[in-house]
Amino acid sequence: MNSEFLFTDHDFAKIRTLIHRRAGIALGAQKRQMVYSRLSRRLRELRLPEFSRYLEMLESNHDGEEWQAFINSLTTNLTSFFREAHHFPVLAEHAKRSKQPVSIWCAAASTGEEPYSIAITLAEALGERASTARVIATDIDTAVLAKASAGVFTLEQVDRLPADRLRRFFNKGTGANAGKVRVRPELAAMVRFERLNLLDPGWPVKEPVDAIFCRNVMIYFDKPTQKRILDRFEPLLKPGALLFAGHSENASLVSPNFKAIGQTVYEVNRKSRP
């Protein structure tokens, strides 16, 4: 089958190198068709005839705006409200035990379902104390962050939420917005969205937090990158704080600084150090 754009083995190898260098993402050889499909949209929009010309454009301007579009195209944003639901009761109990204002970092915010699920959990667990709770929600993809900060979802996206949660935390759209809901202002006020590449030398999270959600992110990184990120997480966690990982991730295998205390729930293993 003829392809619309010339896409050579060299082009694919170069893309794998560039996305690993820029975002830490390790693309396997089986991702070739996915890469072609997603980046073809950029070539059409830019009216470029082949992938080599696109790559030349990227490399000729190391700080150009197209780099963000390149990263956005190659990141995956599969998410839903209360995905991997077993984590949220653990978070609720952990938050209730805190005597100080609770802060949570969601390191892969995507389109917002995860950070808003965290905020809902804190609101239900803390009652009036929830007004002092904060969720820092970051993602490398600027397009999904824009959707997340808008806080608007279709009824299909929230159809698994109990009716009482829908009434308490969302406003139902009418007229032109029929079939949609928007996060209520008091819940939205708990969440701060920021763009962050986990490979960046500086992170917007400066003070230690009560928990970090970094779920289904590490699977896109190679082992050395995973370890570097986990090593940087460690000083940002308060004593007794939790790290929530994805269902196919095991932080304790990558870094000795973490120990498993539940199903893909980890705690800093500071006692093991000299």
Side-chain angles (χ1 to χ4, degrees):
M1 185 176 68
N2 292 328
S3 297
E4 181 181 358
F5 303 104
L6 179 62
F7 186 45
T8 67
D9 291 345
H10 181 268
D11 295 333
F12 182 49
K14 176 68 73 173
I15 288 167
R16 292 173 71 182
T17 298
L18 293 178
I19 195 64
H20 184 268
R21 188 183 302 155
R22 285 275 172 157
I25 296 171
L27 288 176
Q30 77 280 8
K31 298 293 185 181
R32 179 173 178 143
Q33 186 55 43
M34 180 273 283
V35 168
Y36 177 88
S37 176
R38 293 188 182 183
L39 287 180
S40 289
R41 301 167 196 164
R42 298 304 306 149
L43 270 68
R44 290 188 199 100
E45 189 159 329
L46 297 166
R47 298 185 177 181
L48 294 173
E50 57 191 26
F51 274 79
S52 62
R53 290 278 298 277
Y54 179 68
L55 295 171
E56 287 170 7
M57 184 192 73
L58 281 177
E59 293 189 290
S60 66
N61 187 353
H62 291 286
D63 298 315
E65 293 182 1
E66 184 58 29
W67 278 104
Q68 186 62 57
F70 173 73
I71 292 170
N72 289 359
S73 297
L74 295 179
T75 49
T76 300
N77 296 289
L78 177 64
T79 187
S80 61
F81 281 96
F82 291 92
R83 186 184 182 196
E84 300 188 41
H86 60 280
H87 283 157
F88 296 95
V90 177
L91 173 64
E93 291 306 311
H94 185 70
K96 287 176 184 176
R97 291 194 294 269
S98 176
K99 305 301 182 184
Q100 303 297 323
V102 175
S103 58
I104 311 295
W105 178 17
C106 174
S110 188
T111 46
E113 288 90 335
E114 184 169 294
Y116 290 126
S117 296
I118 294 169
I120 289 170
T121 300
L122 296 178
E124 292 175 340
L126 299 175
E128 292 182 359
R129 291 176 56 211
S131 62
T132 64
R134 293 291 176 264
V135 180
I136 306 158
T138 64
D139 202 282
I140 194 173
D141 188 331
T142 54
V144 297
L145 279 177
K147 293 180 181 179
S149 60
V152 176
F153 300 93
T154 64
L155 289 176
E156 289 79 11
Q157 289 173 299
V158 298
D159 63 359
R160 294 187 180 182
L161 293 180
D164 58 336
R165 272 183 175 163
L166 276 175
R167 286 192 297 269
R168 180 178 175 186
F169 297 111
F170 297 87
N171 289 322
K172 196 170 183 179
T174 59
N177 292 313
K180 298 178 181 178
V181 297
R182 183 189 293 274
V183 173
R184 285 184 179 268
E186 56 270 29
L187 190 74
M190 295 173 64
V191 186
R192 184 182 92 226
F193 291 97
E194 290 196 38
R195 192 243 177 217
L196 170 68
N197 181 342
L198 286 169
L199 298 190
D200 287 347
W203 288 349
V205 183
K206 306 298 182 184
E207 301 297 325
V209 296
D210 294 273
I212 295 175
F213 276 70
C214 188
R215 307 191 303 172
N216 306 304
V217 178
M218 295 294 190
I219 54 174
Y220 298 105
F221 300 146
D222 57 26
K223 295 296 183 186
T225 304
Q226 291 175 10
K227 187 176 185 306
R228 285 198 303 273
I229 291 171
L230 288 169
D231 288 347
R232 293 181 68 186
F233 280 165
E234 190 269 332
L236 291 175
L237 289 162
K238 297 177 183 178
L242 303 179
L243 171 67
F244 294 90
H247 66 276
S248 60
E249 299 165 327
N250 190 329
S252 60
L253 289 180
V254 178
S255 172
N257 295 344
F258 291 89
K259 61 180 179 181
I261 61 168
Q263 185 181 353
T264 54
V265 182
Y266 302 88
E267 190 176 63
V268 176
N269 193 22
R270 291 186 171 117
K271 291 181 181 179
S272 69
R273 293 202 229 160

